[in-house]
Every structure is written in C-alpha cells, then in structure tokens.
Amino acid sequence: MEIIRKKRDGGTLSPEEISFFVQGYNRDEIPDYQAAAWLMAVYFRGMEAAETAALTLAMADSGEKADLAAAAEKTVDKHSTGGVGDKTTLVLLPLVAAAGVRTAKLSGRGLGHTGGTVDKLSCIPGFRTELGSGEFLAQVRDLGVAVTGQSPKLAPADGKLYALRDVTATVDCIPLIASSIMSKKIASGARNIVLDVKTGSGAFMRQRESALALAETMVAIGRDLGRRTVALITAMDQPLGRAVGNHLEVIEAIETLRGRGPADLVELCLRLGAEMMLLAGLARSGEEACARLAEKLKSGEALDMMRRWIFRQGGDARVVDEPELLGTPPFRAELTSPAAGWLARLDALTVGQASVLLGAGRAKKGEEVDLLAGILLLKKTGDRVRKGEVLAEIFCSDGARIAPALEMLAGAYGFAPEAPAAMPLLLDRIDWLSLRS
Ligand code: URA
C-alpha cells in the first residue's frame, strides 16, 4: 500500500520498490486490485526515466531469459508498434539477411485492427511458427533469419500486467507501453534494436507528439540498459502498401522482394534496413546501406533468401513463384468510387476495422482468423479517381461478411477537388546517442 500511495502522491519509486511490486504481482502475492490501483496511479502520475528503466528490468527479470544476440554476430532486432497493412517484417528480414544482418525475431499474432507476423506466416502451407529454442538459434546462425511465436515464459510479469491493463483502461500510457515492449526485447537478449514507431489513425499513438514521446522513452530505456536502440517515427494515417489481410500481405511482400513493391513499403524497408545495417556495422552511411539493400532486391538475392527461409521453417517455398498455392478466397467484391476527384483521405483505422469485419483480424485474443480475407487498395491517397472507378477489392470466405465490410470500408475514403499535399512516410528519427536526456 505504501508503494501505491507514494505513486498516487506523485513520488518517485526506487528500483527496489518497483522490483518488489513486479515480483510480488508475478508470484500472485500482490492481488489484482492493488496492482490495478498502482497502474492507475502510474497512468496519472507518469514515471521518470529511471523508474521506467527499473520497471522494464523487473519485468524482463520475471521469467526465462534468452540470449538471441549471442547466437551469432551482427544480430539486430526490429519491432513495429503495429499498424494496418504492415508486412514490413516479411520483406525486411530476408532483405537484410541477404546483406549479412541476422535477425532472431519473436513475433505475435494480430489483435484488433492491426495485423501480426505470425498470422501472416501461417498462410504459407507447412510453415512452422513455433520453433524450439535450439533449432531457432541454429537457424539464426546458419541462415541469418528466423521467426517464432512469442514465448509466454519470456517476461511473464509483462503478460500479467498487460492483461490487467487491458481491463482497467491503463493501456495507453507511455511508460507502461514502453516498458512492456522493451522488457520483451531485454529478456530476449537483444543488443541492437530498431523500432518502427507508428503514428496516425491506424496506430496506437494517434498524435505525432505522443509517438515521439513513446519513441524517446523506449530509446532511453535501451540506452540506460546498455542496448543500442534507434527509433523511426513513421506515418500510419493510411495503410502501408496496397494489401491488408494475411494472404494478400504475403503476396505483396513477395512482390516487393521481387522488386515490384509499392513505393511506401519499399521506402520503409530500405530505411529500417539501413538502420539495421548500420547497427550491425555492415555499412558506413545510410546512403551506402540503402544502395546495398536496393541492389539485393534487384539481384534477386533477397527473394532467394525468402525461399530459403520458408523452406527452412518447413513451408512450401513454391509459393514464392506460385502465389495461388496460398489459396483462393471464395468471395470477392468491389468498392467503387461515389465521386470524381482526388483521394484525399484513406483512413487506416477504418480499413483495419473493415478487414476485421471480413474475418482477417480478431476482436478478442485467441479467435480464429480467415487467412484468405482481406482488402486490396487499388487507389491510395493522392491518386486521381473517376466516379464509378474501383477503389478496392475485398475478399473473404464467408459471403455474409461482404455487405457490412463494404459499408464500413466506404467510410474510410475522403475526396477533394484538388490533389492533396504529399504525406511524408518518415517523420522523425531518434537514436541512443543523440537522445537529449
Ligand atoms: N505492445 C506491447 O507489447 N505492450 C504494450 O503495452 C503495447 C503494445
């Protein structure tokens, strides 16, 4: 109660007090009602940098530890705070692996309007998304790329606290989000971390200032715990690329590795990839790194790495050349434009919610998803449209879902008589060396 009171009154908790609280809650010695009161006190009073680092460390120390970075040299972790159409991991990992960067990635399933890498990879026939730790590390060493589902044994206190936050309106709190994300990175042993912090309607952090504050908090935690951490703040006002929904996103990722990707997705992968190359010591400047990665796309080496990665995790690598092996959705419908003009708005959150209505996402943890459901955006912000022109195609396995999804999707679009100003994708960059405090 003393610890709750101290935070409630705006005090600063010591690392010992934070550790006592987190370990006590993790061992069921502190009840939910006290933890809930403490979370609410943190929500209103915030945390100082040292408190946030102590909370991160206490959660990271609450379970098993891995040392994925020790598996091989030049290992860099990458994390996105989540968005709509964000298939970056599927492109970025084989791309940077082709250039010598190693990634040992623990990924999650999609929740709400945002997708998850594990769901996307499950579309590939035979692909194993649960690897044992031995084979996982061996794959990182031999191939340079491995992805497996998040282990519940890693930072279990975060899992428990997250579940409690979910039902006590304490999720959207910067020190709690930052420590939650970073505790899993620290527990997995990551030493070099690239964060893609999204902002805009389809992101956790809708306002740019909040995204910046979240990024700064995570980079500061990384720095204070001896991890080289870089964050890019990137726009998530409209979906990334043209595909939203698991199987469509796998196809788009493969097309991108083939050198035929949408401009925004390619740009993001090159920028994030360049940061990973720099952290791995494989390039001297961002320009050099981008040029090397662009070459890996052009030469087909990145695509070949995708084939090898799929094969190594038990998947049918023929999908790279024969995407129809991923399956064909039984139902298809079109959304046509009600107006002529320029597309001025394509709201990411609404597109994400329409994809959930189609069955591509889950409203609650543990629900089944329709891997074939999704939305293909034929027009994006800044495109010119004619009245009646097809704006998007939607796909699913349950015809009853089409009408409500089309109605929802129509609400994502806004039109203007003139071309809107171009929206930049990369908004800011923060690294552990340049952080102000
Ligand atoms: N992702 C996490 O892992 N934790 C949060 O609190 C929010 C997003």
Side-chain angles (χ1 to χ4, degrees), residues 288-302:
E288 180 197 329
C290 273
R292 292 251 300 282
L293 293 172
E295 182 51 38
K296 297 290 172 196
L297 286 179
K298 202 160 158 229
S299 68
E301 286 168 86

Side-chain angles (χ1 to χ4, degrees), residues 79-81 150 158 162 165 170-174 176-184 204 214:
H79 180 88
S80 158
T81 57
Q150 185 83 47
D158 169 61
Y162 190 87
R165 284 166 59 206
T170 49
V171 168
D172 54 337
C173 166
I174 286 174
L176 296 179
I177 298 175
S179 55
S180 166
I181 293 174
M182 292 300 281
S183 68
K184 287 169 282 206
F204 238 118
L214 176 63

